[in-house]
Amino acid sequence: MNSQPPMQHSHAHPERTAQSVRILSPDLARGLALLGIALANVATAWLPVSGSIEASSLGGVIDGSVAEKTAAVLAAMFVHVRGLPMFSALLGYGLGMIVASLARRGYPLNRARSVIVRRYGLLAVFGVIHLVFLFFGDIMFFYGLAGMVMATMITFRDRTLYRIAGVMFGISIISNIFIGIATSSMSQSGDLTDLPADSYPGYVGIALIMLMAQVLTLPIQALFLLPLVILGFLAARHGVLSRVDEFRKQFWWAVGVAVAVIMVIGLPWGLAEIGVLPHSWATILSALNQALGPLTGPGIAAAIALAVQPLQRRLAGAGEAGAPEKPPLAVRMVAALGARSMSGYITQSILFLIFTQSFTLGWGIGDGILTSSAIAALVWAITVVLAFILELLGRRGPFETVHRYLSYGRSGLQNPYVDPRAQTGVATRSTDQDQTRP
């Protein structure tokens, strides 16, 4: 299906129904993605183990227990290159929502692009600060740059965007397989993530090196994640998360692809890492997971949307009947975190820095996958509780608030947009009520 340029005619549907029932799946998916990101990062960055330890890339099997080995297999299936791809697709969806919001407000194309560039440029700045002072594995820097690139593509037709994403993803598959195999021996002997930091200044020094490394590898990151951002943007253009029943067939196809990657690549990779399958297979399977793992992102998001759809219908029906009801507590709590994903992500880094480093509390150093996973789950649970407290208080996350203020100013976006050159009075301005977030 070809769409008209979205600033002229947008197919995107608002993330609320006619009864103003907020669509749960994007926030719920972001909240769950943050758990996957915490579990992946704790094993690869916060508490890495020696390459000589079994299943070191998954967090490390220390005592060879069934529980440890099971955790390693589950991590290969559901954690590594799972949460980040889903988050990338949702970033694109959020950008598409912003484009639709600007179109509804009457923003002309050039002005809309400048708003998007400012918003995502500031996200990149947040990312650099986060990378240097909190977590050298930051992703916000790349996401900010990706958003600015997408600002140049918001009028591209669907077919053009699909082609761009397909070509980039094809190149990414080939390059990631070769890079994964070529660097496998390096990962066994250690890399920058294994460098000890016995003080906070030393930690910042390593982060500065990693910042330079990330700048140099931006083309590889773009090939890896930008196709997912594009797919998310296209999904938002057609409002698929608010039209789940209409796109059910496509959703199930996405779920099927994710299940195939998890079972055909993730499961044997985990089994190879713990010695059930030949250990020599682990290298190629890890490279394949890195190359094809991004395909799980849209599928996991689709699975969440399908799972939550019966609840979404019930909430919409209750709203129509004039007796609105709230989602179950657990759903509300995780969705509250997803609605404050930037604050949740940064808070993760603050907590991990306090809990896991040798110059702070030093929890979990050398203890393997069970301990590191428990710490990651604890960190995520703390962010869920904090986000839910803010939800009950009716407040955005602190970093979302700052980002929004710097992006849109004190008064927010104009509604409707008034060209300053044609303005004869004071333009009516209002705070953005769409609650769009990166």
Side-chain angles (χ1 to χ4, degrees):
M1 175 176 5
N2 283 348
S3 68
Q4 297 299 316
M7 296 311 297
Q8 298 175 24
H9 178 73
S10 175
H11 291 276
H13 288 233
E15 286 301 288
R16 292 175 180 269
T17 67
Q19 295 76 35
S20 294
V21 177
R22 185 176 178 84
I23 301 298
L24 290 172
S25 57
D27 290 338
L28 190 59
R30 276 191 290 261
L32 292 173
L34 284 170
L35 174 59
I37 290 170
L39 289 166
N41 286 343
V42 76
T44 57
W46 292 107
L47 290 171
V49 297
S50 169
S52 61
I53 293 176
E54 187 178 36
S56 60
S57 62
L58 300 174
V61 172
I62 303 299
D63 60 24
S65 68
V66 173
E68 276 191 315
K69 291 185 176 182
T70 301
V73 174
L74 291 175
M77 294 174 68
F78 299 109
V79 172
H80 294 276
V81 199
R82 302 292 183 264
L84 187 61
M86 179 167 66
F87 213 89
S88 300
L90 292 169
L91 177 94
Y93 200 91
L95 189 148
M97 289 170 61
I98 293 170
V99 170
S101 175
L102 293 171
R104 288 194 302 270
R105 295 164 185 272
Y107 275 69
L109 177 59
N110 288 340
R111 180 58 182 152
R113 280 183 170 145
S114 69
V115 169
I116 294 168
V117 167
R118 180 178 177 85
R119 180 185 179 99
Y120 286 93
L122 286 166
L123 181 63
V125 172
F126 275 46
V128 171
I129 296 171
H130 176 245
L131 189 155
V132 172
F133 295 104
L134 290 174
F135 178 45
F136 61 78
D138 165 82
I139 194 61
M140 292 192 299
F141 173 54
F142 170 78
Y143 281 166
L145 297 181
M148 289 190 286
V149 170
M150 288 298 300
T152 68
M153 301 164 64
I154 59 176
T155 58
F156 287 12
R157 296 182 179 273
D158 289 7
R159 184 178 299 175
T160 302
L161 290 173
Y162 278 124
R163 286 174 176 170
I164 293 172
V167 170
M168 293 184 72
F169 187 64
I171 297 173
S172 175
I173 291 175
I174 297 171
S175 61
N176 270 296
I177 291 174
F178 280 105
I179 291 172
I181 295 174
T183 59
S184 61
S185 59
M186 184 185 306
S187 65
Q188 296 297 317
S189 59
D191 57 27
L192 282 172
T193 65
D194 300 315
L195 293 176
D198 56 8
S199 67
Y200 181 67
Y203 182 88
V204 172
I206 294 173
L208 288 170
I209 297 173
M210 293 302 291
L211 173 60
M212 291 185 286
Q214 186 167 146
V215 170
L216 293 174
T217 58
L218 280 174
I220 297 174
Q221 282 187 292
L223 290 171
F224 180 56
L225 294 176
L226 192 57
L228 294 166
V229 177
I230 293 173
L231 289 178
F233 175 79
L234 285 166
R237 177 178 281 181
H238 298 284
V240 300
L241 291 180
S242 57
R243 303 165 64 195
V244 174
D245 290 329
E246 296 178 52
F247 289 91
R248 185 170 294 273
K249 181 179 179 180
Q250 291 88 335
F251 274 48
W252 278 113
W253 270 107
V255 171
V257 170
V259 170
V261 172
I262 290 169
M263 298 304 297
V264 177
I265 298 176
L267 176 58
W269 174 35
L271 294 175
E273 289 283 4
I274 64 172
V276 174
L277 294 177
H279 192 269
S280 59
W281 294 10
T283 296
I284 183 62
L285 288 168
S286 176
L288 286 171
N289 187 69
Q290 186 70 20
L292 297 174
L295 291 173
T296 63
I300 297 173
I304 293 170
L306 288 168
V308 82
Q309 183 64 5
L311 172 60
Q312 192 73 58
R313 288 196 206 99
R314 191 171 77 242
L315 296 175
E320 289 177 353
E325 64 176 277
K326 295 181 179 179
L329 179 61
V331 173
R332 291 169 60 201
M333 293 181 72
V334 176
L337 175 61
R340 297 158 181 83
S341 55
M342 181 192 296
S343 293
Y345 180 62
I346 295 174
T347 303
Q348 269 192 21
S349 299
I350 295 171
L351 293 173
F352 274 129
L353 186 62
I354 293 171
F355 291 162
T356 67
Q357 298 305 289
S358 61
F359 53 87
T360 54
L361 295 179
W363 292 358
I365 296 176
D367 288 344
I369 188 170
L370 289 180
T371 300
S372 63
S373 296
I375 293 172
L378 172 63
V379 165
W380 179 76
I382 292 172
T383 61
V384 168
V385 172
L386 293 175
F388 190 57
I389 291 172
L390 292 174
E391 179 75 17
L392 294 176
L393 295 174
R395 297 181 180 178
R396 293 188 178 91
F399 293 102
E400 284 83 1
T401 298
V402 174
H403 183 224
R404 185 185 188 82
Y405 176 79
L406 294 175
S407 298
Y408 301 149
R410 181 182 298 274
S411 302
L413 295 172
Q414 288 186 336
N415 190 20
Y417 176 80
V418 178
D419 189 335
R421 292 170 299 182
Q423 192 172 0
T424 57
V426 178
T428 300
R429 299 175 67 90
S430 69
T431 302
D432 184 358
Q433 298 299 316
D434 292 306
Q435 299 187 34
T436 52
R437 297 176 176 88

PDB file of all heavy atoms in Angstrom, residues 321-335:
ATOM      1  N   ALA A 321     -19.867   2.004  27.725  1.00  0.00           N
ATOM      2  CA  ALA A 321     -21.010   1.824  28.615  1.00  0.00           C
ATOM      3  C   ALA A 321     -21.051   2.853  29.733  1.00  0.00           C
ATOM      4  O   ALA A 321     -21.967   2.837  30.567  1.00  0.00           O
ATOM      5  CB  ALA A 321     -20.982   0.419  29.210  1.00  0.00           C
ATOM      6  N   GLY A 322     -20.052   3.728  29.759  1.00  0.00           N
ATOM      7  CA  GLY A 322     -20.016   4.759  30.788  1.00  0.00           C
ATOM      8  C   GLY A 322     -19.566   4.261  32.142  1.00  0.00           C
ATOM      9  O   GLY A 322     -19.794   4.921  33.154  1.00  0.00           O
ATOM     10  N   ALA A 323     -18.935   3.078  32.162  1.00  0.00           N
ATOM     11  CA  ALA A 323     -18.428   2.519  33.427  1.00  0.00           C
ATOM     12  C   ALA A 323     -16.965   2.128  33.245  1.00  0.00           C
ATOM     13  O   ALA A 323     -16.624   0.947  33.223  1.00  0.00           O
ATOM     14  CB  ALA A 323     -19.259   1.316  33.854  1.00  0.00           C
ATOM     15  N   PRO A 324     -16.082   3.118  33.032  1.00  0.00           N
ATOM     16  CA  PRO A 324     -14.678   2.807  32.756  1.00  0.00           C
ATOM     17  C   PRO A 324     -14.066   1.967  33.866  1.00  0.00           C
ATOM     18  O   PRO A 324     -14.383   2.131  35.033  1.00  0.00           O
ATOM     19  CB  PRO A 324     -14.015   4.185  32.660  1.00  0.00           C
ATOM     20  CG  PRO A 324     -15.003   5.166  33.183  1.00  0.00           C
ATOM     21  CD  PRO A 324     -16.346   4.548  33.155  1.00  0.00           C
ATOM     22  N   GLU A 325     -13.193   1.054  33.454  1.00  0.00           N
ATOM     23  CA  GLU A 325     -12.481   0.228  34.414  1.00  0.00           C
ATOM     24  C   GLU A 325     -10.986   0.324  34.143  1.00  0.00           C
ATOM     25  O   GLU A 325     -10.553   0.724  33.060  1.00  0.00           O
ATOM     26  CB  GLU A 325     -12.938  -1.228  34.341  1.00  0.00           C
ATOM     27  CG  GLU A 325     -12.640  -1.919  33.019  1.00  0.00           C
ATOM     28  CD  GLU A 325     -13.028  -3.383  33.053  1.00  0.00           C
ATOM     29  OE1 GLU A 325     -12.219  -4.194  33.553  1.00  0.00           O
ATOM     30  OE2 GLU A 325     -14.135  -3.713  32.571  1.00  0.00           O
ATOM     31  N   LYS A 326     -10.189  -0.075  35.141  1.00  0.00           N
ATOM     32  CA  LYS A 326      -8.742  -0.013  35.031  1.00  0.00           C
ATOM     33  C   LYS A 326      -8.191  -1.386  34.682  1.00  0.00           C
ATOM     34  O   LYS A 326      -8.772  -2.405  35.058  1.00  0.00           O
ATOM     35  CB  LYS A 326      -8.130   0.488  36.339  1.00  0.00           C
ATOM     36  CG  LYS A 326      -8.493   1.914  36.687  1.00  0.00           C
ATOM     37  CD  LYS A 326      -7.833   2.337  37.994  1.00  0.00           C
ATOM     38  CE  LYS A 326      -8.176   3.787  38.340  1.00  0.00           C
ATOM     39  NZ  LYS A 326      -7.559   4.209  39.613  1.00  0.00           N
ATOM     40  N   PRO A 327      -7.063  -1.430  33.977  1.00  0.00           N
ATOM     41  CA  PRO A 327      -6.418  -2.713  33.716  1.00  0.00           C
ATOM     42  C   PRO A 327      -5.958  -3.357  35.021  1.00  0.00           C
ATOM     43  O   PRO A 327      -5.891  -2.689  36.063  1.00  0.00           O
ATOM     44  CB  PRO A 327      -5.210  -2.330  32.840  1.00  0.00           C
ATOM     45  CG  PRO A 327      -5.510  -0.962  32.329  1.00  0.00           C
ATOM     46  CD  PRO A 327      -6.351  -0.303  33.368  1.00  0.00           C
ATOM     47  N   PRO A 328      -5.617  -4.648  34.993  1.00  0.00           N
ATOM     48  CA  PRO A 328      -5.064  -5.287  36.188  1.00  0.00           C
ATOM     49  C   PRO A 328      -3.827  -4.552  36.688  1.00  0.00           C
ATOM     50  O   PRO A 328      -3.106  -3.907  35.917  1.00  0.00           O
ATOM     51  CB  PRO A 328      -4.716  -6.699  35.699  1.00  0.00           C
ATOM     52  CG  PRO A 328      -5.614  -6.923  34.524  1.00  0.00           C
ATOM     53  CD  PRO A 328      -5.777  -5.581  33.880  1.00  0.00           C
ATOM     54  N   LEU A 329      -3.566  -4.665  37.988  1.00  0.00           N
ATOM     55  CA  LEU A 329      -2.486  -3.911  38.611  1.00  0.00           C
ATOM     56  C   LEU A 329      -1.144  -4.167  37.946  1.00  0.00           C
ATOM     57  O   LEU A 329      -0.382  -3.225  37.680  1.00  0.00           O
ATOM     58  CB  LEU A 329      -2.409  -4.258  40.101  1.00  0.00           C
ATOM     59  CG  LEU A 329      -1.299  -3.554  40.899  1.00  0.00           C
ATOM     60  CD1 LEU A 329      -1.488  -2.045  40.866  1.00  0.00           C
ATOM     61  CD2 LEU A 329      -1.282  -4.067  42.342  1.00  0.00           C
ATOM     62  N   ALA A 330      -0.818  -5.434  37.676  1.00  0.00           N
ATOM     63  CA  ALA A 330       0.487  -5.745  37.082  1.00  0.00           C
ATOM     64  C   ALA A 330       0.641  -5.077  35.723  1.00  0.00           C
ATOM     65  O   ALA A 330       1.717  -4.544  35.396  1.00  0.00           O
ATOM     66  CB  ALA A 330       0.658  -7.259  36.954  1.00  0.00           C
ATOM     67  N   VAL A 331      -0.425  -5.072  34.916  1.00  0.00           N
ATOM     68  CA  VAL A 331      -0.382  -4.430  33.605  1.00  0.00           C
ATOM     69  C   VAL A 331      -0.193  -2.926  33.763  1.00  0.00           C
ATOM     70  O   VAL A 331       0.612  -2.310  33.053  1.00  0.00           O
ATOM     71  CB  VAL A 331      -1.671  -4.736  32.820  1.00  0.00           C
ATOM     72  CG1 VAL A 331      -1.720  -3.924  31.521  1.00  0.00           C
ATOM     73  CG2 VAL A 331      -1.770  -6.222  32.511  1.00  0.00           C
ATOM     74  N   ARG A 332      -0.908  -2.341  34.691  1.00  0.00           N
ATOM     75  CA  ARG A 332      -0.773  -0.897  34.920  1.00  0.00           C
ATOM     76  C   ARG A 332       0.637  -0.528  35.346  1.00  0.00           C
ATOM     77  O   ARG A 332       1.187   0.498  34.914  1.00  0.00           O
ATOM     78  CB  ARG A 332      -1.771  -0.448  35.989  1.00  0.00           C
ATOM     79  CG  ARG A 332      -3.234  -0.501  35.550  1.00  0.00           C
ATOM     80  CD  ARG A 332      -4.159  -0.316  36.736  1.00  0.00           C
ATOM     81  NE  ARG A 332      -3.937   0.962  37.402  1.00  0.00           N
ATOM     82  CZ  ARG A 332      -4.289   1.216  38.655  1.00  0.00           C
ATOM     83  NH1 ARG A 332      -4.861   0.270  39.401  1.00  0.00           N
ATOM     84  NH2 ARG A 332      -4.084   2.408  39.180  1.00  0.00           N
ATOM     85  N   MET A 333       1.245  -1.338  36.183  1.00  0.00           N
ATOM     86  CA  MET A 333       2.583  -1.030  36.684  1.00  0.00           C
ATOM     87  C   MET A 333       3.626  -1.106  35.580  1.00  0.00           C
ATOM     88  O   MET A 333       4.465  -0.205  35.428  1.00  0.00           O
ATOM     89  CB  MET A 333       2.936  -1.964  37.836  1.00  0.00           C
ATOM     90  CG  MET A 333       2.089  -1.755  39.085  1.00  0.00           C
ATOM     91  SD  MET A 333       2.539  -2.841  40.461  1.00  0.00           S
ATOM     92  CE  MET A 333       4.109  -2.103  40.962  1.00  0.00           C
ATOM     93  N   VAL A 334       3.579  -2.191  34.787  1.00  0.00           N
ATOM     94  CA  VAL A 334       4.557  -2.328  33.702  1.00  0.00           C
ATOM     95  C   VAL A 334       4.328  -1.262  32.638  1.00  0.00           C
ATOM     96  O   VAL A 334       5.287  -0.684  32.104  1.00  0.00           O
ATOM     97  CB  VAL A 334       4.494  -3.740  33.098  1.00  0.00           C
ATOM     98  CG1 VAL A 334       5.446  -3.854  31.902  1.00  0.00           C
ATOM     99  CG2 VAL A 334       4.856  -4.793  34.144  1.00  0.00           C
ATOM    100  N   ALA A 335       3.062  -0.969  32.332  1.00  0.00           N
ATOM    101  CA  ALA A 335       2.765   0.071  31.354  1.00  0.00           C
ATOM    102  C   ALA A 335       3.217   1.444  31.848  1.00  0.00           C
ATOM    103  O   ALA A 335       3.645   2.289  31.052  1.00  0.00           O
ATOM    104  CB  ALA A 335       1.270   0.086  31.037  1.00  0.00           C
TER     105      ALA A 335
END
